[in-house]
Amino acid sequence: MADGRTPGAPGPDPVEPVAAVRPFLVTAGRVAGAATGRTMPVETQVIATAAGLGALGRLSFEQHDIVAACAVPQSIAELASRLRLHLNVVRVLAEDLRAEDLLAVHVPDSAATHDASVLRRVIDGLRAIPDSRGVLRDTD
């Protein structure tokens, strides 16, 4: 190919990271949770709606990148990392996009996230994964 990639090889990430811009400029000074009184947890899952994907051409750079990246579900934390944006900027913009029905937001059940048995099952599951030599980790 002209860009040096092998045909059929996976290409670069479809969403380019945005330039370093001060967070208060992107959010017009707004802070996460101001509209709802609650900040979206970092594990909140977001996915673009059909309307969001159809509106890509009229969105600001950051909003465009968020909606485009959310063609597949991902968390607020993943978005911030992937797009190299401040976590609270992603939260504010995701709240805006949700209000316009351009993103569907799925906040996890707070009771489940504070349940110690869930954490214990996650730890047990991680310990059950063999290391690179095929040996299970110590289970205490």
Side-chain angles (χ1 to χ4, degrees):
M1 296 182 94
D3 64 2
R5 287 186 293 127
T6 306
D13 203 354
V15 178
E16 294 293 324
V18 296
V21 176
R22 297 231 180 239
F24 64 85
L25 291 175
V26 177
T27 63
R30 294 173 297 134
V31 295
T36 62
R38 290 185 11 214
T39 302
M40 280 187 202
V42 295
E43 67 271 16
T44 299
Q45 296 290 306
V46 289
I47 187 167
T49 63
L53 293 173
L56 285 174
R58 67 173 178 82
L59 299 174
S60 71
F61 295 114
E62 295 82 10
Q63 289 177 327
H64 174 279
D65 290 349
I66 289 171
V67 173
C70 288
V72 295
Q74 52 193 302
S75 71
I76 294 292
E78 289 171 314
L79 276 174
S81 175
R82 180 176 180 194
L83 300 177
R84 297 182 185 151
L85 288 172
H86 190 281
L87 180 62
N88 285 328
V89 168
V90 173
R91 284 175 166 151
V92 169
L93 296 178
E95 288 172 355
D96 293 347
L97 293 165
R98 175 190 199 176
E100 295 178 40
D101 292 322
L102 303 178
L103 280 184
V105 176
H106 305 283
V107 181
D109 180 14
S110 63
T113 59
H114 292 102
D115 184 356
S117 67
V118 172
L119 182 56
R120 173 49 63 194
R121 290 194 316 264
V122 170
I123 291 169
D124 291 344
L126 290 172
R127 286 185 175 148
I129 299 171
D131 66 12
S132 61
R133 299 173 309 218
V135 177
L136 292 179
R137 290 166 179 79
D138 184 15
T139 59
D140 289 345

